Amino acid sequence: MSFLRVRHLSKRYRLSTTDFLALHPVSFVLPSTGLVAIKGKSGSGKSTLLNLLAGIDRPSTGKIYLQGEDITERKWPLLGHEASMIFQHYNLIEGESVLQNVALPLSMRAEGKKKAKELIEQFGLSSLMDRDVSTLSGGEKQRVAICRALVTDPLILFADEPTGALDEANSEKVMKELKAISSTRLVLLVSHNEELISTYADQVIHIVDGKMKKGPEVAPEPMAKYRTRRTRQGKKWVLPFLLRNLKKNKIKDTMCFLSGTMGFLALLLSFGFFAGNMPAMEKEQGKSLLFLSASISRRSEVEIPGSALTLVKKTRPSYEEAMDALPGLKEDNISSDYSYFLPSTLPFRFEGSEFEPTAMQPIYDITLTEYGSELLIQGEAPRDNDFHHCIVNQEFIDRYGENLLGGMVDIRSRSVVTYRNIQSEVFLDARWEIAGVVKEFGFLNVPRIYYSHSALEEKLGEIFVRGEQAQEISIQSLVREAEDDSPYGNYAQQIFFHDPSEVYRLFHLLDEGDLGDEVEVTSPSYALRQSFSSLSQAFTSSLTLFVGIALMGLCLILGMASYSSLVAGRKDNAILTVLGAKRGSIISIYVSEALALCLGSALAAFALSPLFQIGLNVLLKKEFDIERLINIPYSHYLGVPLFTILSLLLFAFLLGAISSYLPLKAFHHAPIVEELRDE
Ligand code: ADP
């Protein structure tokens, strides 16, 4: 049984125009101990042979057997398992100490540093233990490299021109050490130094122009003493490399961190808007004297004979119908709609001047004892529900000027009624003193004059019209007795709620569509809520789009940063591979870097978000007149405690992992020999 056997091993490089046979097929056997030198002129193919044997380059033909086992196509190479390698230019991890370098293969195997220290002492390098390897001399560096190669107690040590960069004295020293090492294992050395080879080598392979001129002469050996090894990898060694990368890529990482923070801030604030806008709107919308008012009408569809069209006809429902449609409604919630006589928009005169049509709104309680007193910002609410006072809102003041309190609003409304076949003109005159000003929820609000509904009703009770045979009837009674399709009821009944909870119940019925097809309820607050909801939905969709674009940008930035770090660190990565690190573990260094950035920026965004939330809410308050439109749910959302931070971190984790892993996995394929090539 031979220790290492090579059969018809060759290497053909594919160049752009031609193929180049760098190593013609060679066959030989190597012993399990001793120093075997591969000699030849520069460019003859020595390193090519060594790299094929070490497994860092793939042969074009041939097979390699280790103790009878074909290892040519083995998934894991010899290096990092049964073999180690040293190089002309040492390939140490610069910036790390001697001990760190020597202990690295151990930490990859999740082993302690003890053996590394012992070896360093054995090689007389104790005084350099904590020195950065970049500060050492060439001879010292090579001896550190030998220590690192021996720390895993390999069966084979490959050495590619280990004395090539050393002076004579150091070359001798290194060769002596290699010779000593070769007493217990195979040392396969590439060199063009004839003198050293003749002094130290037990066997020689001579290569000339890619052909083996002379092979080793090896006596048959007893049965194998060793078994092939597959060392398991630890993960702890990744952390120092991650920290090293963070330090090295400070500027790039800071920029990634900042863009991550901005992206996550945008995400958090949009989420805050999504979670906060409707509750904030609901909180505000009660701040209106209109809030307790609604109207209800009966809907019926009338077929038009000879036409495919149907007409929707609105008529005034009876009290009973209204109460059926809105369970819980009491008689004092419902009243006739008198807008036929006092329309909801009407021109008015103020202190002698004529003004354009403005909203006139009857309310149940103009004394504001039931509702709305906290909205009063100027003046006082009238003491009684009389027809001499009105209340205006802030928008009215904004439109018609300040200091209107005590001023007189004059209106005149003319309507025509027919009673018992006689048509009469009805004039309704009112002169209202502005008693108070209310500050209402301003979103989409218009200038409005509030007057007392009951006072109007009383007034209409005092206006009589005459019919045939001199019969008289008050307008109030006329409206009450009006037929379904008479215009006087303006097709509706007024509803005045007395408690906000009744309004919310109505909203609920409207949301659920539980009112049926027969009646139609119009609530100004509900309409406002609907328009706000549509607006905020549109707003949320566009925000989602923008945040999506921002996060995609972040993914690209992270992917690019990870990829460029990997490319910048390719030499170190090649060294790590030679020491036995799996590609997956090396990629995990860069993925961890992206993860650290992502999680860090998510946390920073989370910490900064209250500040941005306050600032944006101030701006939005100006725009929409709604407090706390953005309200990031910090403690709970959908009943899940810490929902925001947990889902943010999970999201950041996935984003970092995916955006860095994919490009690293997909694009980096440079062969390890290229990256290890001595400069
Ligand atoms: P040595 O170690 O004896 O100096 P090498 O084994 O490095 O020589 O190279 C042998 C020949 O193969 C050289 O002519 C070199 O230019 C060529 N060679 C080495 N690597 C490559 C490669 N990746 N592509 C093409 N030619 C290569």
Side-chain angles (χ1 to χ4, degrees):
M1 167 85 67
S2 43
F3 178 66
L4 193 66
R5 194 153 81 94
V6 165
R7 288 196 60 196
H8 307 305
L9 201 64
S10 77
K11 180 70 190 179
R12 184 180 290 277
Y13 288 112
R14 305 212 173 279
L15 304 175
S16 51
T17 48
T18 53
D19 279 4
F20 172 61
L21 192 58
L23 184 69
H24 292 247
V26 292
S27 301
F28 55 81
V29 167
L30 293 173
S32 58
T33 57
L35 199 152
V36 179
I38 305 174
K39 73 168 190 180
K41 290 203 183 101
S42 179
S44 58
K46 305 182 296 294
S47 300
T48 303
L49 174 59
L50 193 77
N51 291 340
L52 294 178
L53 290 171
I56 54 176
D57 205 357
R58 291 262 167 214
S60 305
T61 65
K63 298 246 179 247
I64 306 167
Y65 301 89
L66 180 69
Q67 298 176 126
E69 186 195 335
D70 181 356
I71 58 161
T72 330
E73 301 295 328
R74 197 164 78 168
K75 261 196 190 140
W76 71 98
L78 282 180
L79 290 185
H81 300 281
E82 291 94 348
S84 302
M85 190 158 182
I86 57 174
F87 305 84
Q88 180 177 0
H89 291 286
Y90 330 114
N91 282 341
L92 296 174
I93 306 277
E94 306 271 323
E96 304 279 316
S97 72
V98 168
L99 180 61
Q100 280 164 328
N101 264 280
V102 177
L104 188 56
L106 294 177
S107 59
M108 280 182 184
R109 289 157 178 75
E111 288 173 32
K113 291 184 176 166
K114 193 164 154 255
K115 222 156 125 206
K117 283 185 184 156
E118 283 170 9
L119 259 179
I120 293 172
E121 274 162 26
Q122 206 179 310
F123 272 72
L125 297 166
S126 304
S127 58
L128 306 177
M129 187 97 79
D130 298 316
R131 276 263 292 277
D132 181 339
V133 290
S134 56
T135 65
L136 303 183
S137 74
E140 288 164 343
K141 277 184 183 173
Q142 196 58 292
R143 287 166 60 228
V144 171
I146 295 173
C147 281
R148 188 179 64 181
L150 289 182
V151 80
T152 52
D153 193 20
L155 303 185
I156 309 168
L157 175 64
F158 295 105
D160 192 354
E161 299 271 12
T163 58
L166 302 180
D167 58 22
E168 212 171 302
N170 273 311
S171 296
E172 287 282 341
K173 218 169 174 180
V174 164
M175 284 308 289
K176 274 193 184 129
E177 272 156 6
L178 291 179
K179 180 76 187 170
I181 291 163
S182 74
S183 65
T184 51
R185 70 202 83 219
L186 172 63
V187 175
L188 195 62
L189 168 107
V190 160
S191 178
H192 60 268
N193 188 325
E194 293 273 357
E195 208 182 311
L196 287 178
I197 289 175
S198 59
T199 316
Y200 294 100
D202 301 314
Q203 298 280 346
V204 176
I205 299 172
H206 188 183
I207 309 274
V208 178
D209 294 336
K211 294 183 188 120
M212 188 167 75
K213 204 170 167 205
K214 178 180 171 295
E217 288 149 19
V218 177
E221 283 185 286
M223 283 300 286
K225 286 180 279 185
Y226 312 104
R227 309 185 67 203
T228 51
R229 302 183 196 165
R230 179 154 192 200
T231 40
R232 293 179 63 78
Q233 249 179 49
K235 282 270 176 251
K236 263 204 217 140
W237 64 274
V238 169
L239 187 66
F241 277 87
L242 165 65
L243 297 178
R244 192 176 135 95
N245 273 5
L246 286 174
K247 223 193 272 170
K248 217 164 56 183
N249 303 327
K250 229 182 279 166
I251 294 182
K252 191 169 67 183
D253 284 350
T254 307
M255 274 150 69
C256 275
F257 175 80
L258 290 179
S259 46
T261 307
M262 269 158 32
F264 289 124
L265 249 179
L267 180 72
L268 270 174
L269 292 169
S270 311
F271 175 57
F273 179 78
F274 174 76
N277 76 83
M278 280 319 283
M281 159 75 187
E282 255 145 47
K283 225 164 143 191
E284 297 292 331
Q285 67 177 357
K287 294 182 188 166
S288 162
L289 295 190
L290 265 179
F291 185 60
L292 298 182
S293 308
S295 72
I296 183 166
S297 49
R298 188 198 298 134
R299 260 174 78 101
S300 49
E301 285 182 5
V302 184
E303 304 274 340
I304 303 176
S307 158
L309 297 173
T310 46
L311 206 69
V312 175
K313 189 174 162 196
K314 287 191 189 173
T315 51
R316 198 155 60 109
S318 66
Y319 276 26
E320 291 71 30
E321 279 174 304
M323 286 192 274
D324 274 355
L326 292 172
L329 219 56
K330 290 185 222 61
E331 206 149 306
D332 72 337
N333 289 122
I334 308 171
S335 182
S336 298
D337 182 333
Y338 295 115
S339 48
Y340 182 75
F341 298 97
L342 180 49
S344 52
T345 48
L346 202 65
F348 70 99
R349 292 178 76 79
F350 184 74
E351 303 291 318
S353 319
E354 184 89 24
F355 291 97
E356 66 213 55
T358 297
M360 307 277 159
Q361 185 67 38
I363 51 171
Y364 182 79
D365 174 31
I366 203 177
T367 66
L368 307 189
T369 35
E370 268 192 22
Y371 189 75
S373 57
E374 73 286 355
L375 304 180
L376 208 61
I377 48 164
Q378 277 182 43
E380 275 176 33
R383 226 158 272 156
D384 301 305
N385 277 304
D386 61 29
F387 210 55
H388 307 301
H389 292 95
C390 67
I391 288 180
V392 296
N393 62 5
Q394 172 81 49
E395 284 72 14
F396 187 91
I397 296 280
D398 294 344
R399 172 83 61 89
Y400 299 108
E402 290 177 27
N403 307 321
L404 301 179
L405 270 191
M408 302 304 284
V409 172
D410 290 297
I411 56 158
R412 157 159 279 225
S413 166
R414 174 191 165 274
S415 39
V416 177
V417 296
T418 309
Y419 177 61
R420 306 237 160 170
N421 296 327
I422 302 230
Q423 217 179 39
S424 320
E425 255 189 315
V426 177
F427 289 98
L428 178 72
D429 292 320
R431 192 173 167 73
W432 296 321
E433 182 188 336
I434 299 177
V437 179
V438 282
K439 168 99 182 76
E440 297 179 299
F441 171 39
F443 179 65
L444 298 181
N445 209 3
V446 293
R448 196 170 268 123
I449 301 171
Y450 291 101
Y451 61 90
S452 162
H453 178 79
S454 54
L456 170 66
E457 192 164 49
E458 208 173 295
K459 174 112 182 155
L460 292 176
E462 290 161 9
I463 301 174
F464 286 86
V465 288
R466 206 178 282 272
E468 267 176 8
Q469 291 148 18
Q471 281 162 314
E472 278 200 333
I473 187 167
S474 73
I475 298 294
Q476 191 191 357
S477 313
L478 188 73
V479 172
R480 286 231 176 106
E481 288 169 16
E483 296 293 317
D484 267 1
D485 49 0
S486 90
Y488 313 143
N490 204 22
Y491 315 125
Q493 294 275 21
Q494 279 276 6
I495 303 174
F496 295 110
F497 296 107
H498 301 301
D499 189 325
S501 68
E502 294 165 359
V503 183
Y504 290 118
R505 217 156 44 88
L506 169 68
F507 286 0
H508 184 71
L509 288 171
L510 287 168
D511 280 340
E512 302 290 311
D514 275 354
L515 288 165
D517 288 339
E518 286 91 57
V519 292
E520 189 172 288
V521 175
T522 316
S523 149
S525 309
Y526 188 73
L528 178 68
R529 198 168 83 134
Q530 292 303 89
S531 25
F532 182 79
S533 157
S534 316
L535 185 79
S536 71
Q537 265 168 25
F539 200 52
T540 309
S541 320
S542 36
L543 270 183
T544 313
L545 186 73
F546 292 139
V547 170
I549 292 172
L551 292 177
M552 257 155 60
L554 181 60
C555 281
L556 293 177
I557 291 174
L558 279 171
M560 209 169 66
S562 302
Y563 186 73
S564 74
S565 300
L566 181 84
V567 171
R570 60 184 189 274
K571 177 92 182 193
D572 281 356
N573 299 335
I575 297 171
L576 290 172
T577 310
V578 166
L579 295 180
K582 282 195 213 128
R583 186 167 155 73
S585 306
I586 293 174
I587 286 185
S588 77
I589 298 174
Y590 298 91
V591 173
S592 311
E593 189 179 349
L595 281 182
L597 287 175
C598 250
L599 293 174
S601 51
L603 285 174
F606 189 75
L608 285 173
S609 63
L611 255 175
F612 279 77
Q613 176 168 294
I614 291 171
L616 273 173
N617 275 335
V618 169
L619 292 178
L620 287 168
K621 162 89 179 145
K622 272 193 195 141
E623 202 59 38
F624 295 103
D625 198 24
I626 303 181
E627 303 268 5
R628 289 183 70 83
L629 256 181
I630 298 178
N631 193 2
I632 301 170
Y634 287 108
S635 63
H636 276 79
Y637 186 65
L638 301 174
V640 183
L642 301 178
F643 176 90
T644 309
I645 182 74
L646 293 180
S647 43
L648 179 72
L649 289 179
L650 179 70
F651 180 73
F653 182 86
L654 291 176
L655 187 111
I658 293 171
S659 56
S660 57
Y661 182 75
L662 290 183
L664 299 191
K665 193 78 187 150
F667 298 124
H668 199 71
H669 285 303
I672 185 138
V673 208
E674 302 283 318
E675 289 172 358
L676 278 176
R677 196 170 294 274
D678 285 332
E679 51 269 32

